Amino acid sequence: MFQNPSQEKIFQILKEAKTIAVVGLSPKEDRTSFQIARLLQNYGYRIIPVNPQHAGSEILGEKVYSDLASVPEKIDIVDIFRRSEFLPDVAADFLKTDAKVYWAQLGLENEQAWEMLHEAKRDDVIMNRCIKIELNKMGA
């Protein structure tokens, strides 16, 4: 059964990360994904937009990729803004990369996705947590 890592581990992940792929990033400024991605940039993280509907264009000054496997650079955190039923698909895409942390935003959780990641020994998984709230807790 899935459990998030300790608060200390979450803080460590956020401190060590430099590059965050944002899956489901919308170009619409009123969307939470856009607001969080912009905030991450303001905190000094490099964001990489992942959204097949906007692949090849730019969001927040960064090239958009169709999927995680298409991203040509190292990813520290995959921050996911897709409905819970799509989390196994994102997990399958995640497993094709060497990304370190699978992070599903607040309100998103899926046991099947966790089982896939756990079986592959990719246990740095956070679900149902908002990266902005965690950064605020950390005092970033």
Side-chain angles (χ1 to χ4, degrees), residues 22 25 31-43 47 60 79 81 105 130-133:
V22 184
L25 179 55
R31 295 287 175 92
T32 304
S33 63
F34 184 93
Q35 294 166 6
I36 297 289
R38 184 172 50 204
L39 176 104
L40 291 171
Q41 285 182 322
N42 291 340
Y43 277 118
I47 63 126
L60 291 166
D79 189 17
F81 289 89
Q105 275 290 353
C130 175
I131 203 164
K132 175 186 174 186
I133 291 170

Side-chain angles (χ1 to χ4, degrees), residues 19-30:
T19 304
I20 301 176
V22 184
V23 175
L25 179 55
S26 171
K28 296 177 182 168
E29 292 186 29
D30 64 331

Side-chain angles (χ1 to χ4, degrees), residues 5-16:
S6 69
Q7 192 66 63
E8 294 77 25
K9 175 74 173 170
I10 291 172
F11 289 165
Q12 178 187 354
I13 287 166
L14 290 170
K15 285 176 188 167
E16 293 175 359

